[in-house]
Amino acid sequence: MDFNFTEEHLMIRQAAKDFAETELKPGVIERDEKQLFPKDQMKKLGELGFLGMMVDPAYYGAGLDTISYVLALEELSKIDASAAVAMSVNNSLVCFGLEKYGTEAQKEKYLKPLASGELLGAFALSEPEAGSDATSQHTTAIDKGDHYVLNGTKNWITNGSSASIYLVIAQTDVAKGSHGINVLIVERGAEGFSIGPKENKLGIRGSDTHSLMFNDVKVPKANRIGEEGFGFKFAMETLDGGRIGIAAQALGIAAGAFEMSTAYAKQRKTFGKAISEHQAIAFKLADMATEIEAARWLVLHAAWLKDQNLPYAKASAMAKLFASEVAMKTTVEAVQIHGGYGFVKEYHVERLMRDAKITQIYEGTSEIQKMVISRSVLK
């Protein structure tokens, strides 16, 4: 493994950093307070190629590798995790599966506008009783010959009201268990498809999180991805890649909190010297820096494995597990270092602390990551 970034990697990282500072940071506190989706900023991200980073240029993508993707996600997440998760879902959970397993007709119709940023996508797996358990789908897609009839409810769907294209996991044949699950492309505006109110969340408040309701929605057979019963495998493989994106988001949240804390500690004075010169604060910063660097290499290793077409399920679960825990720990310490200022919104770290918590939950809780890892190591 080459530990040196290419010139292209460095350019992508700098472009993402510049975008975060100039486009995301100015309104991020207001968007958080008012739960405003960064619509204009997402459009600009699409124009810059960040919504189809790993998609082949033949389908209007940027044709970049996974390392470029996680470098960009880290920089965006330092400032605005809500925008970062919207980008992550479009890349990891929607474009990835469509490009790898979609038909040419599906790629022409759906992947091209998704990769170019013309449209935004959503991935609908979680349900009121299922969470990220793809084997426990209560949403059904009954085979009616040339189409399916879709019924059910999906919960906690990122980009829920901003997306135009939804990849929906549904059960077609209960008797076949995981082999009776399909993934269907559903378009916004389909008859019988409705979107619930926006969830009022602790963190990532700018992200559109909604429930989706399907009431006798007709979905053409042409909108099924893969063969009959392929949905479970599709969901599992897509989640493996999605965990790399969430790990990068967690890493960015932690790194952002660390950078803000370091800058604050250098300028804030107590007892006649900067608080960074007090050993209690200096040691906190040392621990934060060490854990963030360890998380960064876990994330990069998972991304590298994916780029090399090597198995990466265990590595992505490890990266997601560790990086999310580091994000939570680091942001709590960041608030502590800032003292009273850390408790007010204008210093950003309280928002990063709230945003950090979700990284331990979505794409599977820490316990689910440990299940994935333990199954691998106990083979």
Side-chain angles (χ1 to χ4, degrees), residues 1 39 48 66 114 184 197-198 202 221 249 259 264 307 334 341 345 368:
M1 180 178 178
K39 183 178 179 180
L48 291 171
T66 314
L114 286 166
L184 306 176
K198 186 170 184 174
L202 171 72
K221 279 279 182 73
Q249 181 188 348
E259 290 176 8
Y264 179 82
D307 286 336
Y341 293 107
K345 293 183 182 297
I368 290 177

Side-chain angles (χ1 to χ4, degrees), residues 85-290:
V85 73
M87 168 190 156
S88 177
V89 165
N90 201 74
N91 276 281
S92 295
L93 300 184
V94 182
C95 287
F96 168 76
L98 269 171
E99 181 173 25
K100 186 166 185 179
Y101 295 112
T103 64
E104 281 303 313
Q106 290 168 350
K107 292 176 185 178
E108 285 290 327
K109 186 175 181 180
Y110 299 114
L111 181 58
K112 283 185 174 181
L114 286 166
S116 66
E118 179 185 345
L119 299 179
L120 195 63
F123 182 76
L125 170 65
S126 296
E127 296 186 355
E129 297 179 11
S132 297
D133 181 4
T135 63
S136 301
Q137 296 297 297
H138 292 271
T139 297
T140 59
I142 304 304
D143 192 336
K144 293 294 183 179
D146 64 345
H147 68 276
Y148 296 95
V149 175
L150 187 64
N151 282 282
T153 300
K154 295 294 184 178
N155 272 22
W156 319 115
I157 306 305
T158 300
N159 298 341
S161 67
S162 300
S164 297
I165 298 166
Y166 302 79
L167 304 190
V168 182
I169 309 298
Q171 188 86 47
T172 296
D173 190 338
V174 176
K176 292 183 179 179
S178 63
H179 297 289
I181 294 172
N182 283 310
V183 53
L184 306 176
I185 305 169
V186 181
E187 297 180 24
R188 185 186 183 91
E191 185 176 355
F193 174 27
S194 59
I195 301 170
K198 186 170 184 174
E199 301 289 353
N200 189 1
K201 308 186 299 293
L202 171 72
I204 57 166
R205 289 169 58 82
S207 170
D208 272 351
T209 307
H210 295 257
S211 293
L212 310 178
M213 283 75 73
F214 305 96
N215 183 21
D216 289 338
V217 178
K218 290 184 178 180
V219 183
K221 279 279 182 73
N223 281 28
R224 185 188 70 209
I225 299 177
E227 298 298 320
E228 182 72 38
F230 181 68
F232 176 76
K233 182 179 178 181
F234 179 93
M236 292 300 95
E237 188 169 343
T238 302
L239 287 175
D240 285 340
R243 288 180 180 119
I244 297 176
I246 299 308
Q249 181 188 348
L251 171 63
I253 292 170
F258 171 73
E259 290 176 8
M260 292 175 190
S261 298
T262 302
Y264 179 82
K266 288 179 179 179
Q267 59 90 20
R268 172 75 166 132
K269 290 183 166 58
T270 61
F271 305 105
K273 59 183 179 181
I275 63 171
S276 60
E277 297 180 38
H278 295 292
Q279 195 174 78
I281 300 300
F283 281 10
K284 282 183 186 292
L285 293 170
D287 286 340
M288 291 159 74
T290 302

